[in-house]
Every structure is written in structure tokens, then in C-alpha cells.
Amino acid sequence: MIEPVEIAETLCIGETMLLFVPASGESLAAASELAAHIGGAESNMAAGLAQLGARAEWFSRLGADPHAERILRTLRERGVETPQVVTDPTRPTGLYFKDHSSGVNRVYYYRAGSAASALGPSDLAGLRLSERRLVHVSGITAALSASCDALLQSVLVERAASEPTVSFDVNYRPALWSVEVAGPRLLELARAADIVIVGRDEAETLWGTSDAASVRALFPDVAALVVKDAEFGATHFGAAGATFVPALRVDVVESVGAGDAFAAGYLAAWLDGDDTATALRLGHVMAGYTLGAVSDIAVLPSRSVLRALAASTDAEWTGLTLPDAMSSETTDSHPADSNQANSHPEKEATHGA
């Protein structure tokens, strides 16, 4: 008798693309060389969870191209499991570019008609959702195509009672859809989730809320709601009430990917049964390192260092400075992306996830 393969406790579903950034920190218009990285909200999440010791699987569709090979190799090096990723010979892997010009960061996406945009409810067959502890999705997927939106409808709204906890990062992307379309749809999807993570600013844009409490009023029945408020901190609403943890002061290089890192830290602590304050602190720690890196998936210190930082007392947290991720005292044997640039702070700012 063949024993069934033990699957990862967490499944993250969504598009991952190849990311290009100027190698020298110049603008795209002036750069003569581009460095290749990977990026995608859900795979960023999976990589963060793996770094923190969780078994995480990422699922999506990729093109039959070298970009897909790089994505899969990088994720596997990061400890992410990818056993069921589909290769689509008729559609390409999505691409995007980051541009830093005149002190402003911009992102340019080339994902229309990508392999991931063909994701749909039929892709859920064989993923063994009922055997997972956690399934993670984001609002980005709903904006990619009608079939992608239908996939989220199945994962969130129409799921069976036997299926696992579902976490939903709202992740509104104005380049993909308008507020008029996104607002009602993201509200419906978020209300169907067990865990919701949303930025206070994006909630205001989408639903006109002014603060964390007014966001909670929109989601009174969601078991766990986390409202991130940029450089100020994050508030968790749950059965025990509200818990607020301030953000860390960090040197900001690039903000894209920091929200995914925050979600990974928070959810890794949730999987381990940690208290709410520790979960929020671990989210801030993960986000802090990502804010100091040009890639969406930052080089991180060892798991033990990340956990120790999150275990800080309130007094220690107030004055905490993140140690260098690359120092010998903080690293472990976890493989790193050979294409990952070291962080090079360009400005100092207080900035949350």
C-alpha cells in the first residue's frame, strides 16, 4: 500500500512574476544593467513562512519559459514547496519592473494574459484543501481575470465547512482595477475569510473608513482582523478585543513586499500558537527587513534571531534596532537567493508594514 504524501500545512495561491530592478540603484531610464529577482504577494508569504520554520507550499501557473525556471528554483532554495505548480505552454510568465526616480518608487507590470491569469476553480482539484491548516490568498488574484476571481469565490465564499482556516490579505492594487469595482468585491471576499489583513490607508481608499476601529465595524464577524497603519503600527481585533503594537523605526529602501513579509510573520506566529502581541511584533520584524531591501523577498537573519526579536518586552521593543541580517551572528544555513542585493538605505523613515 502506498502511503499518502504528507502535504505542507499552509498553501499560498497566487501569481508570481519575474522582477527586474536597476542593478546600480539608478532609474530604469538611465540604468545599463538590471538585476533579476522574483516577486508575488503569495509566494513572498510562503518564503517568509518557510524562513520561520513552517512548511509552506505555493501554487500557481507559470509559462514554459526561463522566467518560470528561475521562479521555481528561487522559491525552492527558500524552502517553499512547489509540487503542483502548472506549466502553461501557451501563456507567458508575468514580468514587472521597479523604478526609483527623483525619490519616487514606481512599479510597472507586464502581466496581462499571463499564465497565472488563467487560474480558475478547476485548479483547486488535487490541492487537498481540507487537509491544510491554513490557505492564504490575496485580493490581487481577484483582479487578474474572471476565472481568477471565480477561484477566490470558491476558496473563500463557497468553501465547505470542512475546509481549513483561510487568511485574506486585501492587497488592493489600483493599477489592476478601480475603487468602484474593487471596493464591493474585496469587501465581500474579506467578510468570508477567517483572518483578514488590510492596510488602514487602503481600507480608507476602498471603503471610506477613517481608523482601525471603523475598519473593524465593517468586519464584526471576522475571527481575526489585522489593520496595518504604515509607520504607526498594527492593531489586531479578535475575541479578546483589540491589541496594538507600534511599528519599528527602519531605514526604508523599498516598501513593496513589506506587507507580505508582515503577513508571513503574523501568520507564522499564529500557526505556532503565539500570543497576539508576539504575532504582531514578528510581523513588524519581517516587514522591517523587507523595507531595507530592493527585492520583495529580503535576506533575513536566522530564525532564532527573528523569534528573539519578536519576543522583546514592551520596553525593549520601544528602542529596538534591527541587527544586520548578513552578520555572522545573525545568519544560519538557510539558503539565500544569489541574485538578492544587500540592503543599501537611501533614506531614514519610520515605516510599518
Side-chain angles (χ1 to χ4, degrees):
M1 178 179 177
I2 299 175
E3 293 293 329
V5 176
E6 184 180 354
I7 60 172
E9 61 184 344
T10 298
L11 175 66
C12 304
I13 305 172
E15 181 170 33
T16 296
M17 297 169 288
L18 197 62
L19 160 65
F20 293 98
V21 295
S24 59
E26 297 176 295
S27 68
L28 278 173
S32 58
E33 295 182 0
L34 300 178
H37 306 274
I38 72 168
E42 299 81 10
S43 60
N44 292 346
M45 251 285 303
L49 287 172
Q51 174 69 32
L52 290 166
R55 283 192 62 199
E57 179 182 338
W58 171 73
F59 174 77
S60 189
R61 288 175 168 265
L62 294 170
D65 49 42
H67 308 319
E69 295 175 17
R70 181 187 289 270
I71 288 169
L72 290 173
R73 183 184 71 248
T74 302
L75 289 175
R76 289 165 183 165
E77 288 173 349
R78 292 283 176 154
V80 177
E81 300 176 31
T82 60
Q84 300 192 73
V85 171
V86 176
T87 298
D88 187 334
T90 66
R91 293 171 176 262
T93 301
L95 308 176
Y96 71 116
F97 296 76
K98 286 185 180 180
D99 184 32
H100 184 77
S101 179
S102 302
V104 177
N105 292 315
R106 292 185 176 87
V107 180
Y108 298 90
Y109 294 102
Y110 299 86
R111 69 200 310 177
S114 69
S117 70
L119 284 166
S122 62
D123 285 307
L124 299 175
L127 292 181
R128 298 163 64 181
L129 298 187
S130 64
E131 299 175 45
R132 314 281 182 169
R133 283 188 63 197
L134 178 69
V135 172
H136 179 76
V137 291
S138 88
I140 295 172
T141 302
L144 298 182
S145 68
S147 64
C148 283
D149 183 64
L151 181 145
L152 287 197
Q153 180 76 11
S154 295
V155 170
L156 283 160
V157 180
E158 298 172 356
R159 58 185 163 134
S162 60
E163 291 182 357
T165 296
V166 178
S167 59
F168 181 69
D169 193 336
V170 172
N171 252 333
Y172 172 57
R173 294 290 187 268
L176 296 176
W177 50 350
S178 68
V179 169
E180 292 74 20
V181 176
R185 182 54 174 157
L186 290 173
L187 184 64
E188 178 185 17
L189 293 171
R191 283 175 169 166
D194 302 299
I195 300 172
V196 174
I197 301 172
V198 63
R200 189 208 57 78
D201 55 346
E202 66 180 338
E204 182 175 8
T205 297
L206 289 166
W207 308 310
T209 51
S210 59
D211 54 24
S214 58
V215 179
R216 179 55 168 173
L218 285 177
F219 303 103
D221 299 321
V222 170
L225 169 68
V226 179
V227 182
K228 303 170 295 177
D229 196 0
E231 69 268 26
F232 300 107
T235 304
H236 176 279
F237 296 93
T243 302
F244 174 79
V245 172
L248 294 168
R249 184 176 178 83
V250 298
D251 295 331
V252 179
V253 172
E254 169 61 64
S255 62
V256 176
D260 307 326
F262 177 94
Y266 169 79
L267 289 170
W270 177 84
L271 287 166
D272 285 346
D274 292 328
D275 63 85
T276 299
T278 297
L280 294 176
R281 285 194 295 266
L282 188 54
H284 284 315
V285 168
M286 295 286 284
Y289 280 110
T290 305
L291 286 166
V294 71
S295 173
D296 286 10
I297 303 178
V299 172
L300 298 171
S302 68
R303 188 176 307 149
S304 59
V305 168
L306 293 168
R307 291 287 188 182
L309 292 168
S312 300
T313 65
D314 290 344
E316 292 169 338
W317 184 258
T318 301
L320 184 65
T321 299
L322 296 178
D324 183 0
M326 295 303 293
S327 69
S328 59
E329 291 80 11
T330 61
T331 55
D332 60 14
S333 59
H334 192 81
D337 179 2
S338 60
N339 296 291
Q340 168 66 50
N342 294 334
S343 62
H344 46 91
E346 297 174 354
K347 62 180 179 177
E348 184 174 300
T350 52
H351 204 337

PDB file of all heavy atoms in Angstrom, residues 157-190:
ATOM      1  N   VAL A 157     -15.763  32.239  -0.435  1.00  0.00           N
ATOM      2  CA  VAL A 157     -17.201  32.386  -0.236  1.00  0.00           C
ATOM      3  C   VAL A 157     -17.927  31.052  -0.264  1.00  0.00           C
ATOM      4  O   VAL A 157     -18.836  30.815   0.540  1.00  0.00           O
ATOM      5  CB  VAL A 157     -17.788  33.338  -1.303  1.00  0.00           C
ATOM      6  CG1 VAL A 157     -19.286  33.515  -1.108  1.00  0.00           C
ATOM      7  CG2 VAL A 157     -17.082  34.691  -1.254  1.00  0.00           C
ATOM      8  N   GLU A 158     -17.530  30.169  -1.175  1.00  0.00           N
ATOM      9  CA  GLU A 158     -18.265  28.922  -1.365  1.00  0.00           C
ATOM     10  C   GLU A 158     -17.595  27.716  -0.727  1.00  0.00           C
ATOM     11  O   GLU A 158     -17.975  26.580  -1.014  1.00  0.00           O
ATOM     12  CB  GLU A 158     -18.440  28.673  -2.871  1.00  0.00           C
ATOM     13  CG  GLU A 158     -19.253  29.767  -3.555  1.00  0.00           C
ATOM     14  CD  GLU A 158     -19.264  29.624  -5.070  1.00  0.00           C
ATOM     15  OE1 GLU A 158     -18.582  28.715  -5.590  1.00  0.00           O
ATOM     16  OE2 GLU A 158     -19.938  30.442  -5.735  1.00  0.00           O
ATOM     17  N   ARG A 159     -16.637  27.916   0.136  1.00  0.00           N
ATOM     18  CA  ARG A 159     -15.894  26.786   0.720  1.00  0.00           C
ATOM     19  C   ARG A 159     -16.774  25.952   1.644  1.00  0.00           C
ATOM     20  O   ARG A 159     -17.724  26.446   2.258  1.00  0.00           O
ATOM     21  CB  ARG A 159     -14.683  27.293   1.487  1.00  0.00           C
ATOM     22  CG  ARG A 159     -15.000  28.274   2.594  1.00  0.00           C
ATOM     23  CD  ARG A 159     -13.716  28.803   3.191  1.00  0.00           C
ATOM     24  NE  ARG A 159     -13.958  30.006   3.968  1.00  0.00           N
ATOM     25  CZ  ARG A 159     -13.446  30.220   5.178  1.00  0.00           C
ATOM     26  NH1 ARG A 159     -12.683  29.300   5.743  1.00  0.00           N
ATOM     27  NH2 ARG A 159     -13.682  31.339   5.818  1.00  0.00           N
ATOM     28  N   ALA A 160     -16.404  24.694   1.738  1.00  0.00           N
ATOM     29  CA  ALA A 160     -17.130  23.763   2.600  1.00  0.00           C
ATOM     30  C   ALA A 160     -16.719  23.974   4.052  1.00  0.00           C
ATOM     31  O   ALA A 160     -15.633  24.484   4.353  1.00  0.00           O
ATOM     32  CB  ALA A 160     -16.831  22.328   2.179  1.00  0.00           C
ATOM     33  N   ALA A 161     -17.587  23.565   4.942  1.00  0.00           N
ATOM     34  CA  ALA A 161     -17.318  23.723   6.374  1.00  0.00           C
ATOM     35  C   ALA A 161     -16.085  22.943   6.804  1.00  0.00           C
ATOM     36  O   ALA A 161     -15.426  23.288   7.788  1.00  0.00           O
ATOM     37  CB  ALA A 161     -18.534  23.273   7.169  1.00  0.00           C
ATOM     38  N   SER A 162     -15.757  21.874   6.072  1.00  0.00           N
ATOM     39  CA  SER A 162     -14.619  21.030   6.443  1.00  0.00           C
ATOM     40  C   SER A 162     -13.275  21.626   6.019  1.00  0.00           C
ATOM     41  O   SER A 162     -12.228  21.099   6.394  1.00  0.00           O
ATOM     42  CB  SER A 162     -14.767  19.650   5.798  1.00  0.00           C
ATOM     43  OG  SER A 162     -14.801  19.759   4.383  1.00  0.00           O
ATOM     44  N   GLU A 163     -13.299  22.699   5.246  1.00  0.00           N
ATOM     45  CA  GLU A 163     -12.048  23.250   4.739  1.00  0.00           C
ATOM     46  C   GLU A 163     -11.365  24.112   5.796  1.00  0.00           C
ATOM     47  O   GLU A 163     -11.984  24.526   6.779  1.00  0.00           O
ATOM     48  CB  GLU A 163     -12.306  24.008   3.434  1.00  0.00           C
ATOM     49  CG  GLU A 163     -12.672  23.031   2.320  1.00  0.00           C
ATOM     50  CD  GLU A 163     -12.891  23.686   0.969  1.00  0.00           C
ATOM     51  OE1 GLU A 163     -12.828  24.921   0.883  1.00  0.00           O
ATOM     52  OE2 GLU A 163     -13.153  22.936   0.007  1.00  0.00           O
ATOM     53  N   PRO A 164     -10.084  24.400   5.617  1.00  0.00           N
ATOM     54  CA  PRO A 164      -9.272  24.977   6.695  1.00  0.00           C
ATOM     55  C   PRO A 164      -9.501  26.468   6.898  1.00  0.00           C
ATOM     56  O   PRO A 164     -10.288  27.113   6.197  1.00  0.00           O
ATOM     57  CB  PRO A 164      -7.850  24.732   6.187  1.00  0.00           C
ATOM     58  CG  PRO A 164      -7.976  24.842   4.707  1.00  0.00           C
ATOM     59  CD  PRO A 164      -9.308  24.205   4.392  1.00  0.00           C
ATOM     60  N   THR A 165      -8.771  27.007   7.859  1.00  0.00           N
ATOM     61  CA  THR A 165      -8.731  28.445   8.057  1.00  0.00           C
ATOM     62  C   THR A 165      -8.221  29.107   6.780  1.00  0.00           C
ATOM     63  O   THR A 165      -7.263  28.651   6.168  1.00  0.00           O
ATOM     64  CB  THR A 165      -7.803  28.794   9.232  1.00  0.00           C
ATOM     65  OG1 THR A 165      -8.340  28.242  10.437  1.00  0.00           O
ATOM     66  CG2 THR A 165      -7.633  30.293   9.384  1.00  0.00           C
ATOM     67  N   VAL A 166      -8.871  30.194   6.363  1.00  0.00           N
ATOM     68  CA  VAL A 166      -8.438  30.939   5.185  1.00  0.00           C
ATOM     69  C   VAL A 166      -8.063  32.351   5.612  1.00  0.00           C
ATOM     70  O   VAL A 166      -8.860  33.050   6.253  1.00  0.00           O
ATOM     71  CB  VAL A 166      -9.534  30.997   4.103  1.00  0.00           C
ATOM     72  CG1 VAL A 166      -9.053  31.832   2.916  1.00  0.00           C
ATOM     73  CG2 VAL A 166      -9.914  29.597   3.644  1.00  0.00           C
ATOM     74  N   SER A 167      -6.849  32.753   5.258  1.00  0.00           N
ATOM     75  CA  SER A 167      -6.417  34.128   5.502  1.00  0.00           C
ATOM     76  C   SER A 167      -6.455  34.896   4.195  1.00  0.00           C
ATOM     77  O   SER A 167      -6.159  34.360   3.125  1.00  0.00           O
ATOM     78  CB  SER A 167      -5.014  34.169   6.113  1.00  0.00           C
ATOM     79  OG  SER A 167      -4.060  33.551   5.268  1.00  0.00           O
ATOM     80  N   PHE A 168      -6.817  36.170   4.298  1.00  0.00           N
ATOM     81  CA  PHE A 168      -7.011  37.015   3.115  1.00  0.00           C
ATOM     82  C   PHE A 168      -6.337  38.353   3.339  1.00  0.00           C
ATOM     83  O   PHE A 168      -6.683  39.091   4.259  1.00  0.00           O
ATOM     84  CB  PHE A 168      -8.508  37.214   2.867  1.00  0.00           C
ATOM     85  CG  PHE A 168      -8.829  38.056   1.661  1.00  0.00           C
ATOM     86  CD1 PHE A 168      -8.585  37.590   0.377  1.00  0.00           C
ATOM     87  CD2 PHE A 168      -9.399  39.313   1.807  1.00  0.00           C
ATOM     88  CE1 PHE A 168      -8.901  38.362  -0.743  1.00  0.00           C
ATOM     89  CE2 PHE A 168      -9.730  40.094   0.703  1.00  0.00           C
ATOM     90  CZ  PHE A 168      -9.473  39.617  -0.575  1.00  0.00           C
ATOM     91  N   ASP A 169      -5.334  38.636   2.514  1.00  0.00           N
ATOM     92  CA  ASP A 169      -4.687  39.942   2.526  1.00  0.00           C
ATOM     93  C   ASP A 169      -5.354  40.770   1.428  1.00  0.00           C
ATOM     94  O   ASP A 169      -5.302  40.398   0.255  1.00  0.00           O
ATOM     95  CB  ASP A 169      -3.185  39.774   2.257  1.00  0.00           C
ATOM     96  CG  ASP A 169      -2.400  41.047   2.556  1.00  0.00           C
ATOM     97  OD1 ASP A 169      -3.001  42.136   2.531  1.00  0.00           O
ATOM     98  OD2 ASP A 169      -1.185  40.954   2.799  1.00  0.00           O
ATOM     99  N   VAL A 170      -5.964  41.869   1.793  1.00  0.00           N
ATOM    100  CA  VAL A 170      -6.762  42.650   0.839  1.00  0.00           C
ATOM    101  C   VAL A 170      -5.925  43.099  -0.352  1.00  0.00           C
ATOM    102  O   VAL A 170      -6.337  42.983  -1.506  1.00  0.00           O
ATOM    103  CB  VAL A 170      -7.414  43.852   1.545  1.00  0.00           C
ATOM    104  CG1 VAL A 170      -8.088  44.782   0.538  1.00  0.00           C
ATOM    105  CG2 VAL A 170      -8.442  43.344   2.558  1.00  0.00           C
ATOM    106  N   ASN A 171      -4.743  43.652  -0.122  1.00  0.00           N
ATOM    107  CA  ASN A 171      -3.765  43.931  -1.187  1.00  0.00           C
ATOM    108  C   ASN A 171      -4.395  44.618  -2.405  1.00  0.00           C
ATOM    109  O   ASN A 171      -4.271  44.149  -3.536  1.00  0.00           O
ATOM    110  CB  ASN A 171      -3.097  42.623  -1.629  1.00  0.00           C
ATOM    111  CG  ASN A 171      -1.652  42.527  -1.154  1.00  0.00           C
ATOM    112  OD1 ASN A 171      -0.987  43.540  -0.952  1.00  0.00           O
ATOM    113  ND2 ASN A 171      -1.176  41.309  -0.995  1.00  0.00           N
ATOM    114  N   TYR A 172      -5.036  45.752  -2.182  1.00  0.00           N
ATOM    115  CA  TYR A 172      -5.637  46.480  -3.303  1.00  0.00           C
ATOM    116  C   TYR A 172      -4.544  47.068  -4.192  1.00  0.00           C
ATOM    117  O   TYR A 172      -3.633  47.741  -3.729  1.00  0.00           O
ATOM    118  CB  TYR A 172      -6.540  47.598  -2.776  1.00  0.00           C
ATOM    119  CG  TYR A 172      -7.038  48.523  -3.863  1.00  0.00           C
ATOM    120  CD1 TYR A 172      -7.744  48.018  -4.957  1.00  0.00           C
ATOM    121  CD2 TYR A 172      -6.797  49.893  -3.802  1.00  0.00           C
ATOM    122  CE1 TYR A 172      -8.198  48.864  -5.968  1.00  0.00           C
ATOM    123  CE2 TYR A 172      -7.254  50.747  -4.806  1.00  0.00           C
ATOM    124  CZ  TYR A 172      -7.941  50.222  -5.881  1.00  0.00           C
ATOM    125  OH  TYR A 172      -8.383  51.062  -6.878  1.00  0.00           O
ATOM    126  N   ARG A 173      -4.645  46.818  -5.503  1.00  0.00           N
ATOM    127  CA  ARG A 173      -3.708  47.346  -6.486  1.00  0.00           C
ATOM    128  C   ARG A 173      -4.479  48.231  -7.471  1.00  0.00           C
ATOM    129  O   ARG A 173      -5.171  47.723  -8.352  1.00  0.00           O
ATOM    130  CB  ARG A 173      -3.007  46.208  -7.236  1.00  0.00           C
ATOM    131  CG  ARG A 173      -2.094  45.362  -6.380  1.00  0.00           C
ATOM    132  CD  ARG A 173      -0.858  46.155  -5.960  1.00  0.00           C
ATOM    133  NE  ARG A 173       0.112  45.304  -5.259  1.00  0.00           N
ATOM    134  CZ  ARG A 173       0.151  45.136  -3.943  1.00  0.00           C
ATOM    135  NH1 ARG A 173      -0.752  45.758  -3.190  1.00  0.00           N
ATOM    136  NH2 ARG A 173       1.073  44.370  -3.389  1.00  0.00           N
ATOM    137  N   PRO A 174      -4.395  49.566  -7.327  1.00  0.00           N
ATOM    138  CA  PRO A 174      -5.170  50.450  -8.200  1.00  0.00           C
ATOM    139  C   PRO A 174      -4.823  50.325  -9.668  1.00  0.00           C
ATOM    140  O   PRO A 174      -5.646  50.657 -10.530  1.00  0.00           O
ATOM    141  CB  PRO A 174      -4.825  51.851  -7.663  1.00  0.00           C
ATOM    142  CG  PRO A 174      -3.585  51.686  -6.844  1.00  0.00           C
ATOM    143  CD  PRO A 174      -3.637  50.301  -6.298  1.00  0.00           C
ATOM    144  N   ALA A 175      -3.619  49.835  -9.983  1.00  0.00           N
ATOM    145  CA  ALA A 175      -3.264  49.649 -11.391  1.00  0.00           C
ATOM    146  C   ALA A 175      -4.064  48.529 -12.040  1.00  0.00           C
ATOM    147  O   ALA A 175      -4.155  48.459 -13.269  1.00  0.00           O
ATOM    148  CB  ALA A 175      -1.765  49.357 -11.519  1.00  0.00           C
ATOM    149  N   LEU A 176      -4.654  47.650 -11.226  1.00  0.00           N
ATOM    150  CA  LEU A 176      -5.368  46.493 -11.759  1.00  0.00           C
ATOM    151  C   LEU A 176      -6.872  46.719 -11.886  1.00  0.00           C
ATOM    152  O   LEU A 176      -7.505  46.157 -12.775  1.00  0.00           O
ATOM    153  CB  LEU A 176      -5.108  45.261 -10.881  1.00  0.00           C
ATOM    154  CG  LEU A 176      -3.663  44.755 -10.831  1.00  0.00           C
ATOM    155  CD1 LEU A 176      -3.549  43.597  -9.855  1.00  0.00           C
ATOM    156  CD2 LEU A 176      -3.202  44.337 -12.215  1.00  0.00           C
ATOM    157  N   TRP A 177      -7.451  47.507 -10.963  1.00  0.00           N
ATOM    158  CA  TRP A 177      -8.882  47.762 -11.053  1.00  0.00           C
ATOM    159  C   TRP A 177      -9.252  49.001 -10.244  1.00  0.00           C
ATOM    160  O   TRP A 177      -8.517  49.432  -9.361  1.00  0.00           O
ATOM    161  CB  TRP A 177      -9.712  46.559 -10.655  1.00  0.00           C
ATOM    162  CG  TRP A 177      -9.382  45.862  -9.347  1.00  0.00           C
ATOM    163  CD1 TRP A 177      -8.289  46.054  -8.539  1.00  0.00           C
ATOM    164  CD2 TRP A 177     -10.153  44.853  -8.716  1.00  0.00           C
ATOM    165  NE1 TRP A 177      -8.340  45.224  -7.445  1.00  0.00           N
ATOM    166  CE2 TRP A 177      -9.474  44.461  -7.536  1.00  0.00           C
ATOM    167  CE3 TRP A 177     -11.350  44.210  -9.029  1.00  0.00           C
ATOM    168  CZ2 TRP A 177      -9.953  43.479  -6.671  1.00  0.00           C
ATOM    169  CZ3 TRP A 177     -11.828  43.225  -8.169  1.00  0.00           C
ATOM    170  CH2 TRP A 177     -11.130  42.865  -7.015  1.00  0.00           C
ATOM    171  N   SER A 178     -10.392  49.567 -10.587  1.00  0.00           N
ATOM    172  CA  SER A 178     -10.836  50.814  -9.970  1.00  0.00           C
ATOM    173  C   SER A 178     -11.416  50.563  -8.584  1.00  0.00           C
ATOM    174  O   SER A 178     -11.833  49.452  -8.251  1.00  0.00           O
ATOM    175  CB  SER A 178     -11.894  51.486 -10.845  1.00  0.00           C
ATOM    176  OG  SER A 178     -13.094  50.719 -10.847  1.00  0.00           O
ATOM    177  N   VAL A 179     -11.467  51.633  -7.804  1.00  0.00           N
ATOM    178  CA  VAL A 179     -12.087  51.559  -6.479  1.00  0.00           C
ATOM    179  C   VAL A 179     -13.546  51.155  -6.592  1.00  0.00           C
ATOM    180  O   VAL A 179     -14.059  50.367  -5.777  1.00  0.00           O
ATOM    181  CB  VAL A 179     -11.962  52.913  -5.755  1.00  0.00           C
ATOM    182  CG1 VAL A 179     -12.825  52.943  -4.497  1.00  0.00           C
ATOM    183  CG2 VAL A 179     -10.513  53.200  -5.403  1.00  0.00           C
ATOM    184  N   GLU A 180     -14.224  51.676  -7.602  1.00  0.00           N
ATOM    185  CA  GLU A 180     -15.660  51.394  -7.766  1.00  0.00           C
ATOM    186  C   GLU A 180     -15.933  49.903  -7.953  1.00  0.00           C
ATOM    187  O   GLU A 180     -16.947  49.378  -7.472  1.00  0.00           O
ATOM    188  CB  GLU A 180     -16.221  52.171  -8.957  1.00  0.00           C
ATOM    189  CG  GLU A 180     -16.276  53.676  -8.763  1.00  0.00           C
ATOM    190  CD  GLU A 180     -14.906  54.346  -8.838  1.00  0.00           C
ATOM    191  OE1 GLU A 180     -13.960  53.732  -9.410  1.00  0.00           O
ATOM    192  OE2 GLU A 180     -14.764  55.463  -8.325  1.00  0.00           O
ATOM    193  N   VAL A 181     -15.034  49.227  -8.653  1.00  0.00           N
ATOM    194  CA  VAL A 181     -15.191  47.787  -8.870  1.00  0.00           C
ATOM    195  C   VAL A 181     -14.595  46.994  -7.711  1.00  0.00           C
ATOM    196  O   VAL A 181     -15.187  46.041  -7.200  1.00  0.00           O
ATOM    197  CB  VAL A 181     -14.530  47.366 -10.199  1.00  0.00           C
ATOM    198  CG1 VAL A 181     -14.609  45.855 -10.387  1.00  0.00           C
ATOM    199  CG2 VAL A 181     -15.196  48.081 -11.364  1.00  0.00           C
ATOM    200  N   ALA A 182     -13.407  47.396  -7.283  1.00  0.00           N
ATOM    201  CA  ALA A 182     -12.681  46.629  -6.266  1.00  0.00           C
ATOM    202  C   ALA A 182     -13.319  46.721  -4.887  1.00  0.00           C
ATOM    203  O   ALA A 182     -13.361  45.734  -4.142  1.00  0.00           O
ATOM    204  CB  ALA A 182     -11.231  47.105  -6.195  1.00  0.00           C
ATOM    205  N   GLY A 183     -13.826  47.909  -4.522  1.00  0.00           N
ATOM    206  CA  GLY A 183     -14.339  48.096  -3.173  1.00  0.00           C
ATOM    207  C   GLY A 183     -15.387  47.078  -2.757  1.00  0.00           C
ATOM    208  O   GLY A 183     -15.206  46.355  -1.768  1.00  0.00           O
ATOM    209  N   PRO A 184     -16.492  46.956  -3.478  1.00  0.00           N
ATOM    210  CA  PRO A 184     -17.527  45.993  -3.081  1.00  0.00           C
ATOM    211  C   PRO A 184     -17.048  44.546  -3.142  1.00  0.00           C
ATOM    212  O   PRO A 184     -17.393  43.734  -2.272  1.00  0.00           O
ATOM    213  CB  PRO A 184     -18.650  46.243  -4.091  1.00  0.00           C
ATOM    214  CG  PRO A 184     -18.408  47.612  -4.616  1.00  0.00           C
ATOM    215  CD  PRO A 184     -16.926  47.795  -4.607  1.00  0.00           C
ATOM    216  N   ARG A 185     -16.239  44.222  -4.166  1.00  0.00           N
ATOM    217  CA  ARG A 185     -15.803  42.830  -4.306  1.00  0.00           C
ATOM    218  C   ARG A 185     -14.829  42.436  -3.206  1.00  0.00           C
ATOM    219  O   ARG A 185     -14.953  41.344  -2.617  1.00  0.00           O
ATOM    220  CB  ARG A 185     -15.143  42.627  -5.673  1.00  0.00           C
ATOM    221  CG  ARG A 185     -14.686  41.196  -5.937  1.00  0.00           C
ATOM    222  CD  ARG A 185     -15.801  40.198  -5.750  1.00  0.00           C
ATOM    223  NE  ARG A 185     -15.413  38.843  -6.127  1.00  0.00           N
ATOM    224  CZ  ARG A 185     -16.001  37.747  -5.666  1.00  0.00           C
ATOM    225  NH1 ARG A 185     -17.015  37.853  -4.807  1.00  0.00           N
ATOM    226  NH2 ARG A 185     -15.607  36.552  -6.071  1.00  0.00           N
ATOM    227  N   LEU A 186     -13.880  43.284  -2.889  1.00  0.00           N
ATOM    228  CA  LEU A 186     -12.918  42.967  -1.841  1.00  0.00           C
ATOM    229  C   LEU A 186     -13.596  42.929  -0.472  1.00  0.00           C
ATOM    230  O   LEU A 186     -13.201  42.147   0.402  1.00  0.00           O
ATOM    231  CB  LEU A 186     -11.773  43.979  -1.851  1.00  0.00           C
ATOM    232  CG  LEU A 186     -10.835  43.870  -3.062  1.00  0.00           C
ATOM    233  CD1 LEU A 186      -9.835  45.019  -3.081  1.00  0.00           C
ATOM    234  CD2 LEU A 186     -10.102  42.529  -3.072  1.00  0.00           C
ATOM    235  N   LEU A 187     -14.606  43.738  -0.280  1.00  0.00           N
ATOM    236  CA  LEU A 187     -15.366  43.684   0.968  1.00  0.00           C
ATOM    237  C   LEU A 187     -16.061  42.338   1.109  1.00  0.00           C
ATOM    238  O   LEU A 187     -16.028  41.712   2.185  1.00  0.00           O
ATOM    239  CB  LEU A 187     -16.390  44.820   0.992  1.00  0.00           C
ATOM    240  CG  LEU A 187     -17.223  44.969   2.266  1.00  0.00           C
ATOM    241  CD1 LEU A 187     -16.347  45.332   3.456  1.00  0.00           C
ATOM    242  CD2 LEU A 187     -18.313  46.032   2.054  1.00  0.00           C
ATOM    243  N   GLU A 188     -16.679  41.864   0.039  1.00  0.00           N
ATOM    244  CA  GLU A 188     -17.362  40.562   0.071  1.00  0.00           C
ATOM    245  C   GLU A 188     -16.379  39.437   0.356  1.00  0.00           C
ATOM    246  O   GLU A 188     -16.650  38.553   1.194  1.00  0.00           O
ATOM    247  CB  GLU A 188     -18.060  40.317  -1.265  1.00  0.00           C
ATOM    248  CG  GLU A 188     -18.772  38.970  -1.356  1.00  0.00           C
ATOM    249  CD  GLU A 188     -19.344  38.693  -2.730  1.00  0.00           C
ATOM    250  OE1 GLU A 188     -18.945  39.364  -3.706  1.00  0.00           O
ATOM    251  OE2 GLU A 188     -20.191  37.782  -2.838  1.00  0.00           O
ATOM    252  N   LEU A 189     -15.239  39.440  -0.319  1.00  0.00           N
ATOM    253  CA  LEU A 189     -14.254  38.381  -0.121  1.00  0.00           C
ATOM    254  C   LEU A 189     -13.680  38.413   1.289  1.00  0.00           C
ATOM    255  O   LEU A 189     -13.529  37.371   1.939  1.00  0.00           O
ATOM    256  CB  LEU A 189     -13.139  38.506  -1.151  1.00  0.00           C
ATOM    257  CG  LEU A 189     -13.533  38.238  -2.607  1.00  0.00           C
ATOM    258  CD1 LEU A 189     -12.389  38.609  -3.552  1.00  0.00           C
ATOM    259  CD2 LEU A 189     -13.927  36.769  -2.809  1.00  0.00           C
ATOM    260  N   ALA A 190     -13.376  39.606   1.781  1.00  0.00           N
ATOM    261  CA  ALA A 190     -12.789  39.723   3.118  1.00  0.00           C
ATOM    262  C   ALA A 190     -13.765  39.258   4.197  1.00  0.00           C
ATOM    263  O   ALA A 190     -13.368  38.598   5.168  1.00  0.00           O
ATOM    264  CB  ALA A 190     -12.364  41.168   3.369  1.00  0.00           C
TER     265      ALA A 190
END
